[in-house]
Amino acid sequence: MVSLSFIVGIIGNIISMLVFASPIKTFWRVVKKKSTENFKGLPYITTLLSTSLWSFYGLLKPGGLLIVTVNGAGSVLQFIYVTLFIIYAPKDTKIKSIKLVAILNVGFLGLVIAVALLAIHGSIRLTVVGVLCAGLTLGMYASPMAAMRTVIKTKSVEYMPFSLSFFLFLNGGVWSVYSVLVKDYYIGVPNAIGFVLGSAQLVIYGLYKNKSTSAKSTERKEEEGSAHLVKKSIEMGDYEDKESSMKNRSLTKGRSLPNSKSSSVSRQHSFQKIVKTHSLTPSELHSSWPNENDVENGDDNNHR
């Protein structure tokens, strides 16, 4: 007959896998934008170390199959997350992350395994590894506190995914129950604390979720208002340009046209002159011509 502890352990495996898979959406965003933005790499590096050590603990512990399966799969996923973070992180963050991976996931893990297998024997080996695993699990649960500080500071839950907080809460609760059934305090103590910390994250998420939504709504309205003002300014500028262009055309046209008043007077004067000429009698017309003496005197004067 299947024991209750095995059933709870299976449930714990499923929930833990959901916890390990929850950052997939985050890293899809990182890959899509080719930037880690404000996400922290430390939680994934410490979780990789934790899952690796728990896998080793499960191999040492009799009946630790469920511990090995879930933490082995978690180690693979965490390795992928850490690799992607290092690829897309800024140069300074990338260098720091590589150093942390070299120190914790290579140096420290290798040292623990070597010392446990070569220098420690019997039940003490399981105790030493169990204490280390418990400490790292506490670190895994406490590492999102950096994200909690960011949420409180920025009043935005953007960088604290709800799914991760929720599944950490469930994970801590289920593994706490499992530890009581199998009487493994190395599993029980850190997961009970993780259950409390997960509850705190959910409370903070609930407090700042509405504020984040209202802040985004305000920013959207401000952007729309700015765009409207810019559009109006452009339209006013175009209208003023058209108006000044029309004025310039009117002035140019006015300068190029002849004076209508003077033109009318000139035409009237010419018309009156023609009429007068046609109305003169032959004697009046002849008298208006210059006489011969006047012409001769004019010529004499010119010769002089």
Side-chain angles (χ1 to χ4, degrees), residues 23 27 38 72 77 92 105 126 141 171 181 197 202 209 222 240 252 260 264-265 276 279 289:
F27 279 93
N38 287 340
L77 286 174
D92 294 340
N105 301 111
L126 191 64
Y141 282 120
N171 189 66
L181 294 174
L197 291 175
L202 292 177
K209 181 183 178 181
E222 289 178 353
E240 290 176 357
T252 305
S260 59
S264 177
V265 172
K276 184 178 179 182
S279 61
W289 294 346

Side-chain angles (χ1 to χ4, degrees), residues 160-188:
M160 190 177 74
F162 173 79
S163 58
L164 179 59
S165 302
F166 179 69
F167 287 122
L168 282 175
F169 165 77
L170 289 181
N171 189 66
V174 171
W175 283 108
S176 297
V177 174
Y178 176 83
S179 69
V180 172
L181 294 174
V182 300
K183 297 179 181 180
D184 191 328
Y185 301 107
Y186 304 122
I187 296 175

